Short mmCIF file of all heavy atoms in Angstrom, two decimals:
data_model
loop_
_atom_site.label_atom_id
_atom_site.label_comp_id
_atom_site.label_asym_id
_atom_site.label_seq_id
_atom_site.Cartn_x
_atom_site.Cartn_y
_atom_site.Cartn_z
N MET I 1 3.67 12.10 -4.58
CA MET I 1 5.03 11.56 -4.46
C MET I 1 4.96 10.11 -4.01
O MET I 1 4.22 9.75 -3.12
CB MET I 1 5.80 12.40 -3.43
CG MET I 1 7.24 12.01 -3.33
SD MET I 1 8.21 13.26 -2.44
CE MET I 1 8.34 12.45 -0.85
N VAL I 2 5.73 9.33 -4.67
CA VAL I 2 5.75 7.91 -4.35
C VAL I 2 7.16 7.51 -3.96
O VAL I 2 8.11 7.81 -4.67
CB VAL I 2 5.30 7.07 -5.55
CG1 VAL I 2 5.27 5.60 -5.17
CG2 VAL I 2 3.94 7.51 -6.04
N LEU I 3 7.24 6.88 -2.85
CA LEU I 3 8.56 6.46 -2.40
C LEU I 3 8.81 5.00 -2.73
O LEU I 3 7.92 4.17 -2.68
CB LEU I 3 8.69 6.66 -0.89
CG LEU I 3 8.60 8.10 -0.39
CD1 LEU I 3 8.73 8.13 1.13
CD2 LEU I 3 9.67 8.97 -1.04
N CYS I 4 10.02 4.73 -3.07
CA CYS I 4 10.42 3.35 -3.32
C CYS I 4 10.28 2.55 -2.03
O CYS I 4 10.82 2.94 -1.00
CB CYS I 4 11.87 3.33 -3.79
SG CYS I 4 12.54 1.68 -3.91
N PRO I 5 9.55 1.46 -2.10
CA PRO I 5 9.38 0.63 -0.91
C PRO I 5 10.70 0.03 -0.42
O PRO I 5 10.83 -0.34 0.73
CB PRO I 5 8.44 -0.49 -1.37
CG PRO I 5 7.81 0.01 -2.62
CD PRO I 5 8.82 0.93 -3.25
N GLU I 6 11.65 -0.03 -1.32
CA GLU I 6 12.92 -0.65 -0.96
C GLU I 6 13.87 0.33 -0.29
O GLU I 6 14.50 0.01 0.70
CB GLU I 6 13.59 -1.21 -2.21
CG GLU I 6 12.85 -2.39 -2.85
CD GLU I 6 12.94 -3.64 -1.99
OE1 GLU I 6 13.96 -3.80 -1.30
OE2 GLU I 6 12.00 -4.44 -2.02
N CYS I 7 13.98 1.51 -0.85
CA CYS I 7 15.02 2.41 -0.34
C CYS I 7 14.52 3.82 -0.06
O CYS I 7 15.30 4.70 0.23
CB CYS I 7 16.19 2.45 -1.32
SG CYS I 7 15.76 3.19 -2.91
N ASP I 8 13.19 4.01 -0.16
CA ASP I 8 12.60 5.30 0.18
C ASP I 8 13.04 6.45 -0.72
O ASP I 8 12.97 7.61 -0.33
CB ASP I 8 12.88 5.66 1.64
CG ASP I 8 12.06 4.80 2.60
OD1 ASP I 8 11.09 4.18 2.14
OD2 ASP I 8 12.41 4.76 3.79
N THR I 9 13.48 6.12 -1.88
CA THR I 9 13.80 7.17 -2.83
C THR I 9 12.52 7.63 -3.52
O THR I 9 11.64 6.82 -3.80
CB THR I 9 14.79 6.64 -3.90
OG1 THR I 9 16.00 6.28 -3.26
CG2 THR I 9 15.07 7.69 -4.97
N ASP I 10 12.44 8.91 -3.77
CA ASP I 10 11.29 9.42 -4.50
C ASP I 10 11.31 8.89 -5.93
O ASP I 10 12.23 9.16 -6.68
CB ASP I 10 11.36 10.95 -4.49
CG ASP I 10 10.15 11.56 -5.19
OD1 ASP I 10 9.25 10.80 -5.58
OD2 ASP I 10 10.12 12.80 -5.32
N LEU I 11 10.29 8.15 -6.25
CA LEU I 11 10.26 7.53 -7.58
C LEU I 11 9.78 8.50 -8.66
O LEU I 11 9.78 8.17 -9.83
CB LEU I 11 9.34 6.31 -7.57
CG LEU I 11 9.87 5.10 -6.79
CD1 LEU I 11 8.86 3.97 -6.84
CD2 LEU I 11 11.20 4.63 -7.36
N ASP I 12 9.36 9.66 -8.23
CA ASP I 12 8.95 10.67 -9.20
C ASP I 12 7.81 10.17 -10.07
O ASP I 12 7.80 10.32 -11.28
CB ASP I 12 10.16 11.06 -10.05
CG ASP I 12 9.95 12.44 -10.66
OD1 ASP I 12 9.10 13.18 -10.13
OD2 ASP I 12 10.59 12.75 -11.67
N VAL I 13 6.87 9.52 -9.45
CA VAL I 13 5.72 9.00 -10.17
C VAL I 13 4.50 9.82 -9.79
O VAL I 13 4.24 10.04 -8.62
CB VAL I 13 5.47 7.52 -9.82
CG1 VAL I 13 4.14 7.05 -10.37
CG2 VAL I 13 6.60 6.65 -10.36
N ASP I 14 3.79 10.29 -10.79
CA ASP I 14 2.59 11.06 -10.53
C ASP I 14 1.38 10.18 -10.83
O ASP I 14 1.28 9.61 -11.90
CB ASP I 14 2.59 12.28 -11.45
CG ASP I 14 1.56 13.30 -10.97
OD1 ASP I 14 0.43 12.89 -10.63
OD2 ASP I 14 1.91 14.50 -10.93
N GLU I 15 0.49 10.10 -9.88
CA GLU I 15 -0.62 9.18 -10.09
C GLU I 15 -1.52 9.60 -11.25
O GLU I 15 -2.32 8.82 -11.73
CB GLU I 15 -1.43 8.98 -8.81
CG GLU I 15 -2.13 10.20 -8.29
CD GLU I 15 -2.88 9.86 -6.99
OE1 GLU I 15 -2.22 9.68 -5.95
OE2 GLU I 15 -4.10 9.74 -7.04
N ASP I 16 -1.39 10.84 -11.67
CA ASP I 16 -2.15 11.27 -12.84
C ASP I 16 -1.50 10.82 -14.14
O ASP I 16 -2.10 10.89 -15.20
CB ASP I 16 -2.27 12.80 -12.87
CG ASP I 16 -3.11 13.30 -11.71
OD1 ASP I 16 -4.02 12.56 -11.30
OD2 ASP I 16 -2.85 14.41 -11.22
N GLU I 17 -0.27 10.42 -14.03
CA GLU I 17 0.47 10.13 -15.25
C GLU I 17 0.78 8.65 -15.45
O GLU I 17 1.45 8.27 -16.39
CB GLU I 17 1.79 10.91 -15.25
CG GLU I 17 1.57 12.41 -15.28
CD GLU I 17 2.88 13.17 -15.16
OE1 GLU I 17 3.94 12.52 -15.11
OE2 GLU I 17 2.83 14.40 -15.10
N VAL I 18 0.34 7.85 -14.51
CA VAL I 18 0.66 6.44 -14.66
C VAL I 18 -0.63 5.64 -14.72
O VAL I 18 -1.71 6.10 -14.34
CB VAL I 18 1.52 5.93 -13.48
CG1 VAL I 18 2.90 6.54 -13.54
CG2 VAL I 18 0.84 6.17 -12.16
N GLU I 19 -0.50 4.44 -15.20
CA GLU I 19 -1.66 3.57 -15.29
C GLU I 19 -1.38 2.28 -14.55
O GLU I 19 -0.23 1.88 -14.38
CB GLU I 19 -1.95 3.25 -16.76
CG GLU I 19 -2.43 4.46 -17.53
CD GLU I 19 -2.69 4.08 -18.97
OE1 GLU I 19 -2.58 2.90 -19.32
OE2 GLU I 19 -3.00 5.00 -19.75
N GLU I 20 -2.45 1.64 -14.17
CA GLU I 20 -2.29 0.34 -13.54
C GLU I 20 -1.56 -0.59 -14.49
O GLU I 20 -1.83 -0.63 -15.67
CB GLU I 20 -3.66 -0.25 -13.19
CG GLU I 20 -4.31 0.47 -12.03
CD GLU I 20 -5.70 -0.10 -11.74
OE1 GLU I 20 -5.96 -1.24 -12.14
OE2 GLU I 20 -6.51 0.61 -11.14
N GLY I 21 -0.65 -1.32 -13.92
CA GLY I 21 0.08 -2.27 -14.74
C GLY I 21 1.37 -1.71 -15.29
O GLY I 21 2.17 -2.44 -15.85
N GLU I 22 1.54 -0.41 -15.13
CA GLU I 22 2.77 0.17 -15.62
C GLU I 22 3.94 -0.22 -14.72
O GLU I 22 3.77 -0.47 -13.54
CB GLU I 22 2.63 1.71 -15.63
CG GLU I 22 3.26 2.34 -16.85
CD GLU I 22 2.96 3.84 -16.90
OE1 GLU I 22 1.79 4.18 -17.11
OE2 GLU I 22 3.88 4.62 -16.71
N ILE I 23 5.08 -0.25 -15.33
CA ILE I 23 6.27 -0.60 -14.57
C ILE I 23 7.12 0.64 -14.36
O ILE I 23 7.39 1.38 -15.29
CB ILE I 23 7.11 -1.65 -15.33
CG1 ILE I 23 6.25 -2.86 -15.71
CG2 ILE I 23 8.31 -2.08 -14.49
CD1 ILE I 23 5.77 -3.69 -14.56
N VAL I 24 7.47 0.87 -13.13
CA VAL I 24 8.38 1.97 -12.84
C VAL I 24 9.64 1.38 -12.21
O VAL I 24 9.60 0.39 -11.51
CB VAL I 24 7.75 3.00 -11.90
CG1 VAL I 24 6.57 3.67 -12.56
CG2 VAL I 24 7.35 2.37 -10.58
N SER I 25 10.73 2.04 -12.50
CA SER I 25 11.99 1.58 -11.94
C SER I 25 12.52 2.60 -10.96
O SER I 25 12.43 3.80 -11.20
CB SER I 25 13.02 1.37 -13.05
OG SER I 25 12.57 0.39 -13.93
N CYS I 26 13.06 2.13 -9.90
CA CYS I 26 13.69 3.03 -8.95
C CYS I 26 15.07 3.40 -9.47
O CYS I 26 15.86 2.53 -9.78
CB CYS I 26 13.79 2.34 -7.60
SG CYS I 26 14.72 3.30 -6.41
N PRO I 27 15.31 4.69 -9.58
CA PRO I 27 16.62 5.11 -10.09
C PRO I 27 17.74 4.82 -9.09
O PRO I 27 18.90 4.77 -9.46
CB PRO I 27 16.45 6.63 -10.29
CG PRO I 27 15.35 7.02 -9.38
CD PRO I 27 14.44 5.83 -9.26
N GLU I 28 17.36 4.63 -7.88
CA GLU I 28 18.38 4.46 -6.85
C GLU I 28 18.80 3.01 -6.69
O GLU I 28 19.97 2.67 -6.77
CB GLU I 28 17.84 5.00 -5.52
CG GLU I 28 18.86 5.10 -4.42
CD GLU I 28 19.98 6.08 -4.77
OE1 GLU I 28 19.71 7.08 -5.48
OE2 GLU I 28 21.12 5.84 -4.34
N CYS I 29 17.84 2.14 -6.50
CA CYS I 29 18.21 0.74 -6.23
C CYS I 29 17.93 -0.16 -7.43
O CYS I 29 18.30 -1.32 -7.43
CB CYS I 29 17.48 0.22 -4.99
SG CYS I 29 15.70 0.05 -5.19
N GLY I 30 17.29 0.41 -8.45
CA GLY I 30 17.13 -0.36 -9.68
C GLY I 30 16.01 -1.38 -9.66
O GLY I 30 15.83 -2.13 -10.61
N THR I 31 15.26 -1.39 -8.58
CA THR I 31 14.16 -2.34 -8.50
C THR I 31 13.00 -1.88 -9.39
O THR I 31 12.71 -0.70 -9.46
CB THR I 31 13.66 -2.46 -7.05
OG1 THR I 31 14.78 -2.70 -6.19
CG2 THR I 31 12.66 -3.59 -6.91
N ASP I 32 12.41 -2.82 -10.07
CA ASP I 32 11.24 -2.50 -10.88
C ASP I 32 9.97 -2.77 -10.08
O ASP I 32 9.87 -3.78 -9.40
CB ASP I 32 11.21 -3.37 -12.14
CG ASP I 32 12.31 -2.96 -13.09
OD1 ASP I 32 12.71 -1.80 -13.08
OD2 ASP I 32 12.76 -3.84 -13.86
N PHE I 33 9.04 -1.86 -10.22
CA PHE I 33 7.77 -2.04 -9.53
C PHE I 33 6.62 -1.93 -10.51
O PHE I 33 6.63 -1.08 -11.40
CB PHE I 33 7.59 -0.99 -8.44
CG PHE I 33 8.64 -1.04 -7.38
CD1 PHE I 33 9.73 -0.19 -7.43
CD2 PHE I 33 8.56 -1.98 -6.37
CE1 PHE I 33 10.72 -0.26 -6.47
CE2 PHE I 33 9.55 -2.05 -5.41
CZ PHE I 33 10.63 -1.19 -5.45
N GLU I 34 5.66 -2.78 -10.32
CA GLU I 34 4.45 -2.68 -11.11
C GLU I 34 3.43 -1.88 -10.31
O GLU I 34 3.28 -2.07 -9.11
CB GLU I 34 3.90 -4.08 -11.41
CG GLU I 34 2.63 -4.03 -12.22
CD GLU I 34 2.07 -5.43 -12.47
OE1 GLU I 34 2.82 -6.42 -12.34
OE2 GLU I 34 0.88 -5.54 -12.78
N ILE I 35 2.76 -0.99 -11.00
CA ILE I 35 1.73 -0.21 -10.33
C ILE I 35 0.45 -1.03 -10.27
O ILE I 35 -0.13 -1.37 -11.29
CB ILE I 35 1.52 1.11 -11.07
CG1 ILE I 35 2.81 1.94 -10.96
CG2 ILE I 35 0.33 1.86 -10.50
CD1 ILE I 35 2.84 3.12 -11.87
N VAL I 36 0.07 -1.35 -9.08
CA VAL I 36 -1.10 -2.21 -8.89
C VAL I 36 -2.37 -1.38 -8.92
O VAL I 36 -3.34 -1.71 -9.59
CB VAL I 36 -1.01 -2.99 -7.57
CG1 VAL I 36 -2.12 -4.02 -7.47
CG2 VAL I 36 0.35 -3.67 -7.44
N THR I 37 -2.36 -0.31 -8.16
CA THR I 37 -3.48 0.62 -8.18
C THR I 37 -2.91 2.03 -8.24
O THR I 37 -1.78 2.27 -7.82
CB THR I 37 -4.37 0.48 -6.94
OG1 THR I 37 -3.57 0.68 -5.77
CG2 THR I 37 -5.01 -0.87 -6.86
N VAL I 38 -3.70 2.96 -8.76
CA VAL I 38 -3.17 4.31 -8.93
C VAL I 38 -3.67 5.29 -7.89
O VAL I 38 -3.08 6.35 -7.70
CB VAL I 38 -3.48 4.84 -10.34
CG1 VAL I 38 -2.62 4.13 -11.36
CG2 VAL I 38 -4.94 4.71 -10.69
N SER I 39 -4.77 4.98 -7.25
CA SER I 39 -5.18 5.94 -6.23
C SER I 39 -5.66 5.21 -4.98
O SER I 39 -6.78 4.73 -4.96
CB SER I 39 -6.28 6.87 -6.76
OG SER I 39 -7.38 6.13 -7.20
N PRO I 40 -4.88 5.11 -3.97
CA PRO I 40 -3.51 5.62 -3.98
C PRO I 40 -2.58 4.68 -4.73
O PRO I 40 -2.95 3.52 -4.97
CB PRO I 40 -3.15 5.62 -2.49
CG PRO I 40 -3.95 4.49 -1.93
CD PRO I 40 -5.23 4.45 -2.72
N ILE I 41 -1.47 5.18 -5.08
CA ILE I 41 -0.52 4.35 -5.81
C ILE I 41 -0.02 3.22 -4.92
O ILE I 41 0.41 3.43 -3.80
CB ILE I 41 0.66 5.20 -6.33
CG1 ILE I 41 0.17 6.08 -7.47
CG2 ILE I 41 1.79 4.30 -6.79
CD1 ILE I 41 1.26 6.83 -8.20
N GLU I 42 -0.16 2.04 -5.47
CA GLU I 42 0.34 0.89 -4.75
C GLU I 42 1.29 0.15 -5.65
O GLU I 42 0.98 -0.12 -6.80
CB GLU I 42 -0.84 -0.01 -4.36
CG GLU I 42 -0.50 -0.97 -3.26
CD GLU I 42 -1.76 -1.74 -2.84
OE1 GLU I 42 -2.79 -1.10 -2.56
OE2 GLU I 42 -1.71 -2.97 -2.85
N LEU I 43 2.43 -0.16 -5.13
CA LEU I 43 3.46 -0.76 -5.95
C LEU I 43 3.70 -2.20 -5.54
O LEU I 43 3.58 -2.57 -4.39
CB LEU I 43 4.77 0.01 -5.80
CG LEU I 43 4.73 1.48 -6.20
CD1 LEU I 43 6.03 2.14 -5.78
CD2 LEU I 43 4.52 1.62 -7.69
N LYS I 44 4.03 -2.96 -6.54
CA LYS I 44 4.37 -4.36 -6.28
C LYS I 44 5.69 -4.63 -6.96
O LYS I 44 5.84 -4.34 -8.15
CB LYS I 44 3.28 -5.25 -6.87
CG LYS I 44 3.50 -6.73 -6.66
CD LYS I 44 2.40 -7.52 -7.34
CE LYS I 44 2.62 -7.64 -8.83
NZ LYS I 44 1.62 -8.50 -9.50
N PRO I 45 6.63 -5.15 -6.23
CA PRO I 45 7.92 -5.44 -6.86
C PRO I 45 7.74 -6.45 -7.98
O PRO I 45 7.01 -7.42 -7.84
CB PRO I 45 8.75 -6.04 -5.72
CG PRO I 45 8.06 -5.65 -4.46
CD PRO I 45 6.61 -5.48 -4.81
N VAL I 46 8.38 -6.17 -9.08
CA VAL I 46 8.31 -7.10 -10.20
C VAL I 46 9.37 -8.16 -9.99
O VAL I 46 10.54 -7.86 -9.87
CB VAL I 46 8.57 -6.38 -11.53
CG1 VAL I 46 8.62 -7.37 -12.68
CG2 VAL I 46 7.49 -5.34 -11.78
N GLU I 47 8.90 -9.37 -9.93
CA GLU I 47 9.87 -10.44 -9.78
C GLU I 47 10.38 -10.85 -11.15
O GLU I 47 9.60 -11.13 -12.04
CB GLU I 47 9.24 -11.63 -9.07
CG GLU I 47 8.92 -11.30 -7.63
CD GLU I 47 8.23 -12.48 -6.95
OE1 GLU I 47 8.42 -13.61 -7.40
OE2 GLU I 47 7.46 -12.23 -6.02
N GLU I 48 11.65 -10.86 -11.25
CA GLU I 48 12.21 -11.26 -12.52
C GLU I 48 12.07 -12.75 -12.68
O GLU I 48 12.69 -13.54 -11.99
CB GLU I 48 13.68 -10.87 -12.59
CG GLU I 48 13.86 -9.38 -12.80
CD GLU I 48 15.33 -9.05 -13.02
OE1 GLU I 48 16.01 -9.84 -13.69
OE2 GLU I 48 15.76 -8.04 -12.48
N GLU I 49 11.23 -13.09 -13.62
CA GLU I 49 11.07 -14.51 -13.85
C GLU I 49 11.94 -14.90 -15.02
O GLU I 49 11.82 -14.38 -16.11
CB GLU I 49 9.61 -14.84 -14.14
CG GLU I 49 8.76 -14.80 -12.90
CD GLU I 49 7.31 -15.15 -13.21
OE1 GLU I 49 7.09 -15.99 -14.09
OE2 GLU I 49 6.43 -14.58 -12.58
N ILE I 50 12.80 -15.80 -14.74
CA ILE I 50 13.66 -16.27 -15.81
C ILE I 50 12.88 -17.29 -16.62
O ILE I 50 12.48 -18.34 -16.13
CB ILE I 50 14.92 -16.91 -15.24
CG1 ILE I 50 15.65 -15.89 -14.36
CG2 ILE I 50 15.82 -17.39 -16.38
CD1 ILE I 50 16.74 -16.51 -13.53
N GLU I 51 12.63 -16.88 -17.84
CA GLU I 51 11.82 -17.79 -18.66
C GLU I 51 12.70 -18.73 -19.45
O GLU I 51 13.36 -18.35 -20.38
CB GLU I 51 10.96 -16.98 -19.62
CG GLU I 51 9.77 -16.36 -18.95
CD GLU I 51 8.85 -15.71 -19.97
OE1 GLU I 51 8.67 -16.30 -21.04
OE2 GLU I 51 8.35 -14.61 -19.70
N ASP I 52 12.70 -19.92 -19.02
CA ASP I 52 13.28 -20.91 -19.91
C ASP I 52 12.35 -22.10 -19.92
O ASP I 52 11.42 -22.19 -19.14
CB ASP I 52 14.70 -21.30 -19.50
CG ASP I 52 14.79 -21.74 -18.07
OD1 ASP I 52 13.80 -21.54 -17.32
OD2 ASP I 52 15.80 -22.30 -17.68
N ASP I 53 12.58 -22.95 -20.84
CA ASP I 53 11.61 -24.01 -21.07
C ASP I 53 11.68 -25.12 -20.03
O ASP I 53 10.88 -26.03 -20.03
CB ASP I 53 11.81 -24.61 -22.46
CG ASP I 53 11.53 -23.56 -23.52
OD1 ASP I 53 10.65 -22.71 -23.28
OD2 ASP I 53 12.17 -23.59 -24.57
N GLU I 54 12.64 -24.98 -19.20
CA GLU I 54 12.81 -26.02 -18.22
C GLU I 54 11.61 -26.02 -17.27
O GLU I 54 11.37 -25.06 -16.56
CB GLU I 54 14.08 -25.77 -17.43
CG GLU I 54 14.87 -27.02 -17.16
CD GLU I 54 16.20 -26.66 -16.51
OE1 GLU I 54 16.95 -25.88 -17.14
OE2 GLU I 54 16.44 -27.12 -15.41
N GLU I 55 10.88 -27.06 -17.30
CA GLU I 55 9.77 -27.11 -16.38
C GLU I 55 10.29 -27.61 -15.04
O GLU I 55 11.38 -28.12 -14.94
CB GLU I 55 8.71 -28.09 -16.91
CG GLU I 55 8.36 -27.74 -18.34
CD GLU I 55 6.89 -27.98 -18.59
OE1 GLU I 55 6.28 -28.72 -17.82
OE2 GLU I 55 6.38 -27.41 -19.56
N GLU I 56 9.45 -27.43 -14.09
CA GLU I 56 9.87 -27.91 -12.79
C GLU I 56 10.17 -29.39 -12.85
O GLU I 56 9.32 -30.21 -13.17
CB GLU I 56 8.73 -27.69 -11.78
CG GLU I 56 8.85 -26.38 -11.05
CD GLU I 56 7.77 -26.25 -10.00
OE1 GLU I 56 7.69 -27.14 -9.14
OE2 GLU I 56 6.98 -25.29 -10.08
N GLN I 57 11.38 -29.66 -12.54
CA GLN I 57 11.75 -31.07 -12.61
C GLN I 57 11.78 -31.64 -11.21
O GLN I 57 12.45 -31.14 -10.33
CB GLN I 57 13.12 -31.22 -13.27
CG GLN I 57 13.02 -31.05 -14.77
CD GLN I 57 14.37 -31.31 -15.42
OE1 GLN I 57 15.37 -31.42 -14.74
NE2 GLN I 57 14.35 -31.39 -16.73
N GLU I 58 11.04 -32.68 -11.09
CA GLU I 58 11.08 -33.31 -9.79
C GLU I 58 12.22 -34.30 -9.79
O GLU I 58 12.58 -34.85 -10.81
CB GLU I 58 9.75 -34.02 -9.52
CG GLU I 58 8.61 -33.02 -9.53
CD GLU I 58 7.30 -33.70 -9.15
OE1 GLU I 58 7.36 -34.83 -8.67
OE2 GLU I 58 6.24 -33.07 -9.35
N THR I 59 12.73 -34.47 -8.66
CA THR I 59 13.84 -35.42 -8.56
C THR I 59 13.34 -36.78 -8.99
O THR I 59 12.37 -37.30 -8.47
CB THR I 59 14.35 -35.51 -7.10
OG1 THR I 59 13.84 -34.39 -6.40
CG2 THR I 59 15.83 -35.50 -7.07
N GLU I 60 14.03 -37.29 -9.98
CA GLU I 60 13.47 -38.49 -10.56
C GLU I 60 13.73 -39.75 -9.74
O GLU I 60 12.85 -40.55 -9.52
CB GLU I 60 14.00 -38.67 -11.98
CG GLU I 60 13.07 -37.94 -12.93
CD GLU I 60 13.60 -38.01 -14.34
OE1 GLU I 60 14.16 -39.04 -14.70
OE2 GLU I 60 13.46 -37.01 -15.07
N ASP I 61 14.97 -39.90 -9.34
CA ASP I 61 15.17 -41.12 -8.55
C ASP I 61 14.81 -40.81 -7.09
O ASP I 61 15.60 -40.27 -6.34
CB ASP I 61 16.58 -41.67 -8.67
CG ASP I 61 17.63 -40.58 -8.45
OD1 ASP I 61 17.22 -39.41 -8.29
OD2 ASP I 61 18.79 -40.90 -8.41
N GLY I 62 13.58 -41.10 -6.80
CA GLY I 62 13.11 -40.84 -5.46
C GLY I 62 13.93 -41.62 -4.45
O GLY I 62 14.20 -42.80 -4.62
N ASP I 63 14.30 -40.92 -3.47
CA ASP I 63 15.13 -41.59 -2.46
C ASP I 63 14.23 -42.00 -1.31
O ASP I 63 14.11 -41.30 -0.31
CB ASP I 63 16.22 -40.62 -2.01
CG ASP I 63 17.26 -41.30 -1.13
OD1 ASP I 63 17.21 -42.54 -1.06
OD2 ASP I 63 18.08 -40.59 -0.54
N TYR I 64 13.57 -43.09 -1.53
CA TYR I 64 12.69 -43.53 -0.45
C TYR I 64 13.50 -44.17 0.65
O TYR I 64 14.33 -45.01 0.40
CB TYR I 64 11.68 -44.56 -0.97
CG TYR I 64 10.90 -44.07 -2.13
CD1 TYR I 64 11.17 -44.51 -3.40
CD2 TYR I 64 9.87 -43.14 -1.95
CE1 TYR I 64 10.44 -44.08 -4.48
CE2 TYR I 64 9.14 -42.69 -3.03
CZ TYR I 64 9.44 -43.15 -4.29
OH TYR I 64 8.73 -42.73 -5.36
N SER I 65 13.23 -43.76 1.83
CA SER I 65 13.96 -44.45 2.89
C SER I 65 12.97 -45.00 3.89
O SER I 65 11.83 -44.69 3.88
CB SER I 65 14.95 -43.51 3.58
OG SER I 65 14.40 -42.24 3.69
ZN1 ZN G 101 14.73 2.06 -4.54
#
């Protein structure tokens, strides 16, 4: 039994049935977790990365004081 790190809901994940790198979602809080290791199961919250082409823009007009 694996509990959601966020809300302690049983995620219903069986370590025999999942693989590293798999994504599981908590039915309760909706957080997605990536399975980092399977024995024991270790979960890592998946950060939603918004992919757009905008690269990190540094402030162009430096405000030197
Ligand atoms: Zn949860």
Side-chain angles (χ1 to χ4, degrees):
M1 185 166 102
V2 182
L3 296 180
C4 172
E6 293 290 329
C7 65
D8 288 343
T9 297
D10 182 5
L11 290 179
D12 202 19
V13 170
D14 195 315
E15 64 181 73
D16 293 329
E17 296 175 3
V18 292
E19 292 180 5
E20 288 178 21
E22 220 173 292
I23 307 293
V24 295
S25 298
C26 174
E28 190 63 32
C29 67
T31 309
D32 290 332
F33 299 98
E34 179 182 341
I35 295 168
V36 188
T37 57
V38 288
S39 58
I41 288 188
E42 198 175 308
L43 300 171
K44 180 183 79 176
V46 175
E47 292 177 26
E48 285 186 39
E49 285 181 34
I50 302 168
E51 283 187 41
D52 54 348
D53 295 328
E54 221 173 302
E55 308 216 341
E56 267 184 57
Q57 283 184 350
E58 300 185 12
T59 344
E60 271 177 36
D61 50 356
D63 189 10
Y64 305 105
S65 37

